[in-house]
Amino acid sequence: MTGEALASAFEEQRGRLVAVAHRMLGSRADAEDAVQEAWLRLARQDADTIDNLSGWLTTVVGRVCIDVLRSRKTRPEDSYEDPPELLVFEESPEEDALLAESVGLALLVVLDTLGPAERLAFVLHDLFAVPFVEVGEILGKSADAAKMLASRARRKVQGRRPVDEPQQRGVVDAFLAAAREGDFDGLIELLDPEVTWRSQTPRGVVVRLGAAEVATRVQRGARAVATLRPALVDGKPGVVTWDKRGRLGGVMACTVVDGRIVAIDSVSDPRRLAAMGVTSLEAPSSK
């Protein structure tokens, strides 16, 4: 294989490899570094001896990630540079089942509670459908041992799933209805006076404070979107918005305390939306 052909074959795998490494390491920068290390090792390898390039690269990236995670355990002062990402699931029986069975949580928070081997087994098998035989080879263990690690990790993840209390959902549903109707007073009643709204926009992070300011922004923003839908965002009741062209416009996660929304975290930056794994959500059909 020529150098140009090898580079082209690697680029075809890059997106998947970065996604794997990102979920393993929780940092986009660290993920890019891990994938770059895989490329450097590939460049030093006789490509003609590699029968399965995808598997070979997955193995290398997996082992690099394991080394990074183990290094972090010895240097606990290290912290993530990236803010936690919001994972979005539109509320339906199918998506609720998916959430319960897989990882409808804030991956960067929950997966950090797993050991390096557990995390790799869970991420590769449960999120990327890598067979346990291959996972075991990466870890230097048997397929059965890899399966046990993934099973143990799965139980831990499911055990940490936040409960979406009906009362919390009811508050957000009422908030959603008030936003749709442009009901400023209704929004004010549902917002804590000291509510904080942290929004990741194309211009950067914008923080809004206070019920009046947040309600005003929500009231104005609701007019610019075609559809508002309830969603489960980061394990919390939230909202997904769609623009008039049927494109995903943003997501909001709401924290409810004592019947009022005390914090809102939202993303409207198209680049972050594209990296959040919500492209599989279909825009509602126009009427």
Side-chain angles (χ1 to χ4, degrees):
M1 184 181 295
T2 65
E4 184 176 346
L6 185 63
S8 177
F10 177 80
E11 287 302 319
E12 291 178 1
Q13 299 288 329
R14 180 185 289 276
R16 180 183 63 83
L17 295 172
V18 170
V20 169
H22 197 182
R23 284 155 179 78
M24 281 293 299
L25 302 176
S27 162
R28 181 78 181 191
D30 287 349
E32 294 282 2
D33 288 345
V35 173
Q36 181 62 22
E37 175 62 24
W39 164 248
L40 293 175
R41 296 187 187 185
L42 178 61
R44 296 193 295 266
Q45 180 77 17
D46 181 358
D48 292 332
T49 65
I50 301 175
D51 296 327
N52 180 352
L53 181 61
S54 175
W56 190 91
L57 289 170
T58 300
T59 296
V60 172
V61 169
R63 288 175 179 171
V64 170
C65 289
I66 283 285
D67 289 343
V68 172
L69 290 173
R70 287 172 176 164
S71 176
R72 283 180 182 169
K73 294 298 182 181
T74 63
R75 292 182 288 113
E77 71 277 5
D78 288 353
S79 61
Y80 293 121
E81 296 177 358
D82 298 346
E85 300 208 5
L86 301 178
L87 301 181
V88 184
F89 292 85
E90 286 197 78
E91 298 220 78
S92 68
E94 294 80 7
E95 293 294 357
D96 189 60
L98 176 62
L99 177 64
E101 293 300 327
S102 61
V103 64
L105 304 172
L107 284 175
L108 306 190
V109 176
V110 178
L111 295 187
D112 198 39
T113 66
L114 306 178
E118 290 177 335
R119 186 165 180 166
L120 184 137
F122 180 79
V123 167
L124 290 184
H125 180 268
D126 285 45
L127 303 186
F128 292 92
V130 176
F132 283 123
V133 171
E134 295 181 23
V135 175
E137 291 176 354
I138 295 172
L139 291 170
K141 300 179 180 292
S142 67
D144 287 342
K147 186 175 182 179
M148 290 180 64
L149 285 168
S151 178
R152 189 164 62 200
R154 194 178 305 116
R155 288 195 299 271
K156 290 181 180 180
V157 169
Q158 292 175 355
R160 291 179 62 87
R161 177 186 175 183
V163 177
D164 181 23
E165 297 289 349
Q167 187 262 354
Q168 294 182 8
R169 178 76 264 171
V171 171
V172 176
D173 285 347
F175 178 78
L176 182 57
R180 285 171 173 158
E181 296 168 6
D183 182 359
F184 182 82
D185 291 338
L187 291 171
I188 289 291
E189 290 180 5
L190 294 163
L191 293 168
D192 184 89
E194 304 299 325
V195 63
T196 300
W197 183 357
R198 183 176 182 274
S199 178
Q200 296 177 24
T201 74
R203 300 185 303 277
V205 176
V206 177
V207 178
R208 297 179 176 86
L209 303 173
E213 183 176 356
V214 171
T216 299
R217 180 66 184 88
V218 170
Q219 187 181 43
R220 291 175 181 172
R223 298 172 187 163
V225 301
T227 304
L228 295 162
R229 279 191 169 182
L232 192 61
V233 184
D234 236 11
K236 301 177 182 178
V239 179
V240 176
T241 67
W242 300 92
D243 66 21
K244 295 178 180 179
R245 295 183 180 181
R247 298 176 302 188
L248 182 66
V251 298
M252 299 168 57
C254 303
T255 301
V256 179
V257 176
D258 295 332
R260 286 189 170 185
I261 297 173
V262 299
I264 298 173
D265 291 288
S266 69
V267 176
S268 61
D269 183 351
R271 293 171 298 177
R272 285 201 171 273
L273 287 172
M276 282 168 49
V278 298
T279 54
S280 61
L281 292 178
E282 295 182 0
S285 57
S286 57
K287 297 183 179 178

